Amino acid sequence: MLTRVLHSSITRRFVTALGTLFGVAVLVFAMLRAIPGDQVTAQFGIESGALTAAQRASLESYYGLDQPLFVQFFSWLGNVLTGNQGFSARSHMSVAELTALSLPVTIELAIITIVFSLLLGVPLGMLSASKPNSARDAFGQVIALAGLSIPAFLLGSSVMAWAASSWGENPNGQAFAQLAENPGLNLRQMILPAAVLAFGIAAPIMRTTRTAVLDVRSKDFIRTARAKGLAPRRIQFRHVLTNALVPITTMTGLQFGYLLGGAIVIEQVFSLPGIGRQVLVGIEQKEYAVVQSTILIIAVCFVLVNLLTDILYRVIDPRVRAL
Amino acid sequence: MKTRSIAKRAAGAAAAVAALALLAGCGGAETPSGDQSTGAAGSPGAADPAGGALVVGVTSDVDTLFPWKATQFNTVNVMQVIYGTLTEFDQDLNVAPGIAESWEISDDRLTLTFHLRQGVKFADGSDCDSADVKFSLDKIADEATAAVARAQLSSIASVAAPDAATVVLNLTSPDAGLVSSLASINVAILSSDDTEEALNETPNGTGPFKLKERKPSQSLTLERNGNYWGDPAKLDTVEFRVIPDETSIVTAMQSGNVHLAVFDDPLVAESAETSANAVIQEQAQLAYHVLQLNATKGELTDVNVRLAIQCAIDRQQVLDAAALGEGAITGPITSPAFRSDPSARPCPDRDLDKAAEYLAKAGKADGIKLKVMVSQGEYATSVNEAQSIQAQLADAKIEVELEVLESGAYVDRWLAADFDAAVALNGGRPDPDQAYSRYFTSTGNLNAVAGFSSPELDRLFAEGRSSASKEERESIYTEISSILEDNAAWVWLFTSYTYTATTADVSGYVPMANDSMQYLRTTALG
């Protein structure tokens, strides 16, 4: 009985996930300490050179920097496990409160982005695959190449400046509106950044779609379907696309996971207070607890998205369900 | 079955997209009302005649609301309009009355008596009197407080408050720069009933504005403080809106969402002028760009090597290459009242022959190698300056190896004096004693970073502090300046501008050389 539980894939997955999260925690902790400077020098800059030893000691004890690293790590971990993720002296808010504000922004942006990139990437991939090495394939490939190679900050600032100068439309210049308090403005603030991000993310989705569709089309059952006289459109959607969905889902899940880590550059350009910026500012200010806890939260999200992707396979593909 | 479920999902997704598009469309149609609901801030055209809501675009959020620990540019600016100080600077950086209406110094210059203004109140309505001043100065001196201004007030032996309107400072030694030090926002006067913890939640100052709302990483909004002792601020509110990317600030000015922003990059200022029709005010800065030489390290211990470096650098060329020529070459002292003559140095202009002579005198006729560290990202021109210096020194057989560092790593090594030479942008101070005694006196807390001191400099700085007459102080600091230049302690390069961009409807704002935004109190919109 016990062995069966231990061997069940869910338990194994859970244990692996915990191991991964612990690894992330240790790694982030170590990396943060390896960055030169601490919260005192981050706050005071060169003025910290003017602090007396006693002043410095007072600040170090305030920020908990006077504790040995080992103690710092386990007291932080212990606190996280009991639900206290730490406090940001800079924002005068707990990490939980900060995350409650920033994570929904990032999740919303990620969802809209994924919808946009699927809408762009999948049809484009199918178009390319419909006649490989033709003009329409080249068209699809060029768009994907552009998506991959145009830096998001450049595209973002250009699009924003263009919208502001031609229509005076710049929702991102206004104060950020939470979805719940002003959905109209919030969505206007999300559209451009999501579109810019989607342009980049549609590229791998398009390529995966193209490869998967080409692969499926060469299978015997498609030839059979064609031979029995099914309409090409029906073959394309019912047989080819359905069977190509697994790799597309994998790629989409992966991209969604990355997006939950915060699209830092886009958040900077469009002034979105997402989780990426929370990490960035935390690193700049050397707010160790903020960065450690936030990254742990991001890692949990990533693990969850992977789990969801796996469950989706089962929904999409009966062969996986049978396993 | 499977097909149907997929079709259903697809239909669901399509519906979601349609709903999104619809919402977005509605949002678009609602623009005017949407703007109003976010405050008059959204649309400068519709300014409230009573005063208006100014939006200042800033690249970073404040890092503390406690004025004694505020050192970052934007934090200092916000604290500056919430809190008050005993003395203040006027727009020419002369010391002017603040909470103290007047002051006098005893004949032995060891007792400084301040007479406080009547009717000064904190934002919470309580009175600000001599007990609060004494409390503040005593607390700053307490090392446990970790206040950054402690070192600048080290000449204060004790503080007395004989009556509610009088504060007496007893000094250990004369300190001519003290009234100027007291104008720093790091010496803000706090209520004796307040604590750091409480003030981080709810600031309580005697300044023209008080905190209305703060959204960390997004914005900080101030409103007029009705209890301010001076002329009440014209603006109803000032919002410091965090827009991390400078280009996005320009775009926000273009669309009328932001009214005022301060840039240090001439290229960004230019784009604000051309694309957003902003009015640009250039303001020469006290801060100076410098090649710091560490005279305690290797070949730099030899004054001739340092002079060779001075002679091989054309400051104007560095300025042209790095900052489009926007600025002025400078000597050590940048404050207007004591400004050094930039040409009063062994090599006022680039002179490669003289550089070769100095190197020969140092026994290094074949040239030397020099490691120069520079930070990336802290300010726009740093790496370009370093590259210009590298190219110029190469002509004088001084081979520069550049170490380009992330700003945290740079500050760490700078503080530890772990460098031979460093390209730096150091903040200036209105009083030359504040600006340089911490670097170039042997007991200065940044002397290790400066890498140079001498008994003569110690004596001159002490004289400068104890002297009462302005003329005498001028000649002392001229002498200090020439000692620094003759020894090529550092190679001072240039001062640059900051560019204050305002939309056409903003009036009454005066930029200052110390970067202070205190004149938000006289600014009006519309």
Side-chain angles (χ1 to χ4, degrees):
Chain A
M1 177 66 192
L2 185 67
T3 36
R4 266 186 68 187
V5 172
L6 278 179
H7 283 100
S8 86
S9 70
I10 297 292
T11 317
R12 218 170 19 195
R13 193 173 285 278
F14 187 69
V15 172
T16 321
L18 277 186
T20 310
L21 292 179
F22 185 77
V24 167
V26 173
L27 201 67
V28 170
F29 183 89
M31 280 165 67
L32 277 177
R33 271 32 177 216
I35 302 175
D38 57 23
Q39 200 162 355
V40 178
T41 47
Q43 183 176 0
F44 293 99
I46 63 169
E47 293 301 325
S48 54
L51 296 172
T52 63
Q55 282 184 308
R56 173 106 204 168
S58 154
L59 285 166
E60 285 183 355
S61 105
Y62 177 73
Y63 290 126
L65 302 172
D66 52 345
Q67 304 288 326
L69 286 185
F70 187 75
V71 175
Q72 286 184 40
F73 179 74
F74 282 101
S75 79
W76 166 72
L77 194 65
N79 276 323
V80 167
L81 291 178
T82 52
N84 172 11
Q85 294 150 353
F87 188 79
S88 162
R90 177 185 58 81
S91 311
H92 215 71
M93 268 190 178
S94 73
V95 178
E97 287 172 297
L98 282 176
T99 308
L101 288 174
S102 64
L103 191 60
V105 176
T106 296
I107 291 180
E108 186 192 351
L109 181 66
I111 291 175
I112 302 179
T113 302
I114 285 296
V115 170
F116 281 1
S117 40
L118 284 174
L119 286 178
L120 181 64
V122 173
L124 214 56
M126 288 175 67
L127 182 77
S128 274
S130 65
K131 202 170 177 192
N133 304 320
S134 65
R136 64 174 88 144
D137 188 15
F139 170 76
Q141 300 265 28
V142 164
I143 299 237
L145 189 66
L148 282 179
S149 32
I150 299 178
F153 74 88
L154 182 66
L155 188 63
S157 341
S158 318
V159 168
M160 190 162 61
W162 170 72
S165 60
S166 21
W167 312 324
E169 167 74 4
N170 182 18
N172 298 89
Q174 296 179 39
F176 179 76
Q178 294 285 347
L179 182 61
E181 63 192 29
N182 187 348
L185 179 60
N186 172 278
L187 286 172
R188 279 166 62 214
Q189 289 176 331
M190 288 289 179
I191 294 286
L192 274 187
V196 170
L197 273 176
F199 189 52
I201 285 179
I205 290 180
M206 175 269 166
R207 291 186 162 190
T208 311
T209 307
R210 181 180 179 274
T211 316
V213 167
L214 282 178
D215 180 52
V216 174
R217 279 209 327 181
S218 66
K219 292 277 162 51
D220 291 343
F221 68 90
I222 297 294
R223 202 176 44 194
T224 311
R226 211 176 283 142
K228 72 178 185 183
L230 275 185
R233 185 173 291 266
R234 193 171 164 82
I235 297 178
Q236 187 77 323
F237 284 95
R238 175 157 178 188
H239 295 281
V240 178
L241 186 58
T242 313
N243 280 285
L245 270 182
V246 169
I248 297 175
T249 307
T250 311
M251 180 49 79
T252 308
L254 213 59
Q255 297 294 340
F256 190 69
Y258 285 135
L259 283 173
L260 288 186
I264 295 180
V265 173
I266 286 296
E267 286 175 10
Q268 291 284 97
V269 170
F270 289 96
S271 318
L272 297 177
I275 206 149
R277 217 163 97 196
Q278 184 172 322
V279 174
L280 182 69
V281 175
I283 294 174
E284 277 170 3
Q285 300 288 332
K286 306 284 185 311
E287 292 204 296
Y288 294 145
V290 175
V291 181
Q292 286 162 197
S293 300
T294 311
I295 290 190
L296 202 61
I297 292 165
I298 293 173
V300 169
C301 290
F302 199 90
V303 168
L304 284 179
V305 168
N306 274 336
L307 199 69
L308 268 178
T309 314
D310 282 2
I311 294 171
L312 261 185
Y313 290 160
R314 288 160 190 263
V315 176
I316 294 168
D317 194 336
R319 285 167 302 184
V320 178
R321 234 173 325 184
L323 283 180
Chain B
M1 184 64 200
K2 190 174 70 186
T3 320
R4 181 177 291 172
S5 69
I6 286 177
K8 229 192 289 175
R9 269 199 298 277
V17 172
L20 270 179
L22 197 68
L23 277 168
C26 289
E30 276 169 10
T31 306
S33 65
D35 274 356
Q36 276 158 18
S37 71
T38 56
S43 49
D48 182 349
L54 186 87
V55 180
V56 181
V58 293
T59 52
S60 65
D61 193 9
V62 299
D63 67 328
T64 176
L65 288 176
F66 190 58
W68 296 348
K69 287 183 177 171
T71 60
Q72 293 179 2
F73 174 61
N74 183 44
T75 311
V76 168
N77 282 335
V78 172
M79 292 300 107
Q80 198 94 50
V81 291
I82 295 182
Y83 287 94
T85 42
L86 276 179
T87 58
E88 289 180 0
F89 293 115
D90 66 13
Q91 61 191 77
D92 303 315
L93 298 181
N94 298 309
V95 179
I99 294 175
E101 209 164 26
S102 63
W103 55 90
E104 70 249 352
I105 181 101
S106 65
D107 290 338
D108 62 1
R109 292 199 294 284
L110 287 174
T111 312
L112 189 54
T113 307
F114 287 96
H115 304 287
L116 305 188
R117 200 178 289 276
Q118 292 298 306
V120 177
K121 284 181 190 302
F122 289 102
D124 68 0
S126 61
D127 288 326
C128 172
D129 59 22
S130 61
D132 299 304
V133 176
K134 177 173 163 53
F135 161 82
S136 300
L137 295 179
D138 286 346
K139 267 283 193 195
I140 290 171
D142 180 359
E143 288 183 294
T145 311
V148 278
R150 186 183 176 278
Q152 290 157 46
L153 305 185
S154 56
S155 60
I156 301 177
S158 67
V159 183
D163 63 65
T166 312
V167 175
V168 180
L169 306 186
N170 300 302
L171 310 184
T172 51
S173 56
D175 186 352
L178 186 60
V179 285
S180 167
S181 297
L182 290 168
S184 158
I185 200 63
N186 294 138
V187 195
I189 302 303
L190 310 183
S191 160
S192 54
D193 298 330
D194 273 318
T195 60
E196 177 173 357
E197 194 56 25
L199 292 175
N200 261 318
E201 194 71 51
T202 316
N204 183 28
T206 59
F209 291 94
K210 60 183 179 182
L211 183 69
K212 183 173 180 220
E213 190 188 15
R214 182 180 182 207
K215 294 180 179 167
S217 297
Q218 295 179 34
S219 66
L220 183 139
T221 308
L222 306 178
E223 62 186 342
R224 186 189 302 118
N225 174 11
N227 289 321
Y228 179 53
W229 55 263
D231 293 335
K234 294 199 173 78
L235 297 165
D236 294 324
T237 61
V238 178
E239 178 189 341
F240 293 84
R241 187 175 296 166
V242 182
I243 300 179
D245 186 68
E246 282 198 330
T247 321
S248 304
I249 296 183
V250 173
T251 312
M253 292 191 83
Q254 198 177 351
S255 54
N257 299 114
V258 165
H259 308 100
L260 190 153
V262 180
F263 303 113
D264 63 357
D265 186 340
L267 287 171
V268 176
E270 199 182 298
S271 84
E273 191 169 19
T274 52
S275 68
N277 289 323
V279 182
I280 306 288
Q281 295 185 72
E282 280 185 358
Q283 171 63 55
Q285 290 302 292
L286 287 183
Y288 52 92
H289 298 255
V290 63
L291 176 66
Q292 278 185 229
L293 302 176
N294 190 340
T296 62
K297 288 271 170 78
E299 277 144 352
L300 292 174
T301 49
D302 189 331
V303 63
N304 290 308
V305 171
R306 301 198 303 269
L307 283 167
I309 295 171
Q310 184 193 82
C311 291
I313 293 176
D314 180 343
R315 292 168 285 180
Q316 187 64 42
Q317 199 181 318
V318 179
L319 173 59
D320 291 345
L324 310 174
E326 294 264 313
I329 57 167
T330 188
I333 297 171
T334 54
S335 73
F338 297 92
R339 197 188 306 281
S340 308
D341 173 6
S343 54
R345 66 201 294 226
C347 277
D349 294 305
R350 190 179 196 221
D351 189 336
L352 287 177
D353 294 336
K354 250 174 136 177
E357 261 173 53
Y358 281 123
L359 272 187
K361 252 199 245 177
K364 304 280 178 193
D366 296 337
I368 58 162
K369 287 186 176 179
L370 182 67
K371 278 190 179 176
V372 177
M373 73 167 188
V374 56
S375 76
Q376 186 158 40
E378 189 119 300
Y379 53 101
T381 53
S382 55
V383 177
N384 290 345
E385 288 173 39
Q387 286 168 344
S388 169
I389 289 169
Q390 184 180 37
Q392 293 191 43
L393 290 182
D395 297 340
K397 294 188 187 164
I398 299 169
E399 190 191 319
V400 170
E401 182 193 326
L402 282 188
E403 297 176 274
V404 182
L405 303 171
E406 176 271 327
S407 68
Y410 175 91
V411 169
D412 245 29
R413 284 186 52 189
W414 190 90
L415 287 171
D418 179 17
F419 59 88
D420 297 341
V423 174
L425 171 60
N426 291 347
R429 301 278 175 95
D431 191 278
D433 181 63
Q434 291 169 359
Y436 284 113
S437 65
R438 60 202 207 136
Y439 286 114
F440 293 113
T441 60
S442 54
T443 52
N445 48 33
L446 293 174
N447 183 245
V449 178
F452 186 82
S453 65
S454 71
E456 199 187 359
L457 279 176
D458 284 358
R459 180 180 59 77
L460 284 168
F461 273 108
E463 273 177 26
R465 277 170 160 254
S466 57
S467 168
S469 97
K470 171 113 194 315
E471 289 72 31
E472 208 178 293
R473 291 192 82 208
E474 272 171 25
S475 79
I476 291 168
Y477 291 110
T478 306
E479 206 179 330
I480 287 175
S481 182
S482 61
I483 291 174
L484 294 174
E485 292 279 41
D486 291 346
N487 287 284
W490 293 350
V491 182
W492 280 267
L493 300 167
F494 62 92
T495 54
S496 51
Y497 298 117
T498 57
Y499 306 86
T500 305
T502 45
T503 47
D505 45 357
V506 175
S507 60
Y509 181 78
V510 186
M512 287 175 69
N514 64 349
D515 276 344
S516 163
M517 293 179 100
Q518 72 184 36
Y519 285 106
L520 281 175
R521 67 189 182 205
T522 58
T523 304
L525 190 61

